Amino acid sequence: MSATQQTLVLIKPDAVRRGLVGEILRRYEAKGLRPEALELRTIDAAFADRHYSEHVDKAWYPPLRDFVTSGPLVAMILSGDRAIEAVRSLNGATDGIAAAPGSIRGDFCLSNRENVVHASDSPESAAREIALWFGSDV
Ligand code: CDP
Ligand code: MG
């Protein structure tokens, strides 16, 4: 199936602190994905709770919330053919140790929390997350 999609992607605060923004963006662009919106943001706890609404009751959520609010991150909308699947594939598995070498997480982290990037996991979550982060801008 071929279809142009949009997906919401975050370069998380660990990656911004470590100077990985350019390298990560380079990989998305090299694949053929294009930014339609891109902004440096620092989010508060209430916004984190909305973004991670499916996870707020998990035992590991409080430290995740502390992490994602710990400094600036880069929020973006990427577009391209099957962009949701394409970005999830480039990002790799959630746990950086399990993530395949060559993927962003596989190459740049050892953590299942501070794992460099986020991306929408379905058309429904992409629509919800794009509306949350970029509202009526796009
Ligand atoms: O980000 P992804 O969709 O791959 O994973 P998730 O299962 O939806 O979890 C969302 C985020 O929560 C992960 O990317 C990790 O940053 C974090 N997480 C965590 O802190 N501890 C876990 N045991 C699992 C996930
Ligand atoms: Mg997820």
Side-chain angles (χ1 to χ4, degrees):
M1 192 183 77
S2 170
T4 300
Q5 291 179 326
Q6 293 182 324
T7 187
L8 187 282
V9 179
L10 305 177
I11 302 178
K12 291 178 175 178
D14 56 332
V16 175
R17 277 193 284 274
R18 293 168 60 199
L20 294 172
V21 172
E23 168 65 20
I24 293 168
L25 198 52
R26 187 195 66 75
R27 290 181 179 214
Y28 294 139
E29 289 191 301
K31 186 71 172 175
L33 298 153
R34 291 289 171 259
E36 293 194 354
L38 191 152
E39 195 176 317
L40 194 72
R41 299 254 192 107
T42 303
I43 62 169
D44 63 15
F47 192 91
D49 291 356
R50 293 176 70 194
H51 174 71
Y52 281 123
S53 56
E54 85 229 66
H55 294 315
V56 288
D57 295 326
K58 306 238 166 87
W60 45 263
Y61 181 69
L64 173 62
R65 178 172 50 202
D66 289 345
F67 163 54
V68 295
T69 59
S70 66
L73 53 74
V74 176
M76 69 185 98
I77 299 168
L78 292 182
S79 72
D81 187 26
R82 293 165 61 197
I84 295 167
E85 181 185 353
V87 175
R88 297 281 296 189
S89 176
L90 286 174
N91 285 1
T94 304
D95 180 352
I97 295 172
S103 68
I104 292 169
R105 287 163 167 170
D107 286 353
F108 293 117
C109 69
L110 283 165
S111 175
N112 72 343
R113 174 166 304 123
E114 301 201 9
N115 59 358
V116 185
V117 283
H118 163 86
S120 309
D121 64 4
S122 66
E124 295 71 28
S125 65
R128 186 186 73 78
E129 292 172 5
I130 287 168
L132 175 64
W133 285 83
F134 289 99
S136 55
D137 286 6
V138 290

